[in-house]
Amino acid sequence: MHTSPRTSRQALFLIAGLFTFILIGLSSPAFSQNKGEKTFAVVITDSQGVETEMRNVHFYWEEKVSETAFVPHELKHVPVKRGSATVNVKFDGIKTIEVKSPGEKGLPLIVISLASGNSGEFTLAIPGSFKGLSDFGETELPATAIRKIVFK
């Protein structure tokens, strides 16, 4: 079967047009927008009274899966114990966190004040730290070494 040069040329233009449309379409802002996660900025006062401003903050802890292997976890919430329940208090609603002396299992007792005005006293559910970026680079502060965190 023989196709005419006109049909082949039309098919070529059609393919080139579709290819161009796809390239232009994928590079447009509507397709390439990154649905970035919300980032959080805080001022952390450590147990020595030193204030550190940090951005892109998360609660960091490592899960031990064997003697030599750990799985890192970066959370946008603080896991706390309220009685027997574990509550994940999201950074979105937190205004301040004040860290008191260690409670059971050496985990600190913390007071979380929400932007809504509510507050509660909890025990940190897992040992971890607050990690983020300061003007000097990546910064990590263990929860036990923190006196206060103010969310901006």
Side-chain angles (χ1 to χ4, degrees), residues 3-17:
T3 58
S4 70
R6 184 175 179 190
T7 307
S8 297
R9 192 177 323 143
Q10 286 175 340
L12 181 62
F13 283 132
L14 179 62
I15 292 171

Side-chain angles (χ1 to χ4, degrees), residues 70-120:
F70 296 88
V71 177
H73 295 276
E74 295 180 348
L75 310 174
K76 299 285 183 178
H77 62 267
V78 181
V80 294
K81 284 292 204 182
R82 182 177 180 137
S84 297
T86 299
V87 180
N88 293 320
V89 184
K90 297 194 180 297
F91 285 178
D92 279 346
I94 299 176
K95 184 178 179 181
T96 62
I97 299 174
E98 293 185 46
V99 181
K100 296 186 174 186
S101 61
E104 60 185 63
K105 299 180 187 176
L107 296 172
L109 193 63
I110 61 175
V111 177
I112 298 177
S113 298
L114 302 176
S116 66
N118 294 334
S119 66

Side-chain angles (χ1 to χ4, degrees), residues 5-152:
R6 184 175 179 190
T7 307
S8 297
R9 192 177 323 143
Q10 286 175 340
L12 181 62
F13 283 132
L14 179 62
I15 292 171
L18 283 172
F19 184 72
T20 304
F21 177 75
I22 290 170
L23 285 178
I24 291 172
L26 291 177
S27 66
S28 71
F31 288 105
S32 63
Q33 276 184 354
N34 183 7
K35 293 185 178 184
E37 293 182 9
K38 184 174 181 180
T39 60
F40 298 92
V42 298
V43 176
I44 296 181
T45 306
D46 69 13
S47 56
Q48 297 176 351
V50 176
E51 287 188 356
T52 305
E53 285 191 41
M54 292 179 11
R55 58 195 179 284
N56 300 333
V57 173
H58 52 267
F59 182 80
Y60 178 82
W61 67 283
E62 292 179 343
E63 178 181 6
K64 184 176 181 179
V65 292
S66 72
E67 288 301 315
T68 58
F70 296 88
V71 177
H73 295 276
E74 295 180 348
L75 310 174
K76 299 285 183 178
H77 62 267
V78 181
V80 294
K81 284 292 204 182
R82 182 177 180 137
S84 297
T86 299
V87 180
N88 293 320
V89 184
K90 297 194 180 297
F91 285 178
D92 279 346
I94 299 176
K95 184 178 179 181
T96 62
I97 299 174
E98 293 185 46
V99 181
K100 296 186 174 186
S101 61
E104 60 185 63
K105 299 180 187 176
L107 296 172
L109 193 63
I110 61 175
V111 177
I112 298 177
S113 298
L114 302 176
S116 66
N118 294 334
S119 66
E121 192 170 285
F122 309 93
T123 301
L124 200 58
I126 49 179
S129 58
F130 288 87
K131 198 172 183 179
L133 297 173
S134 72
D135 290 340
F136 298 100
E138 189 172 295
T139 305
E140 183 175 353
L141 283 162
T144 54
I146 295 172
R147 187 185 307 161
K148 186 173 185 174
I149 303 173
V150 177
F151 284 76
K152 292 182 171 186

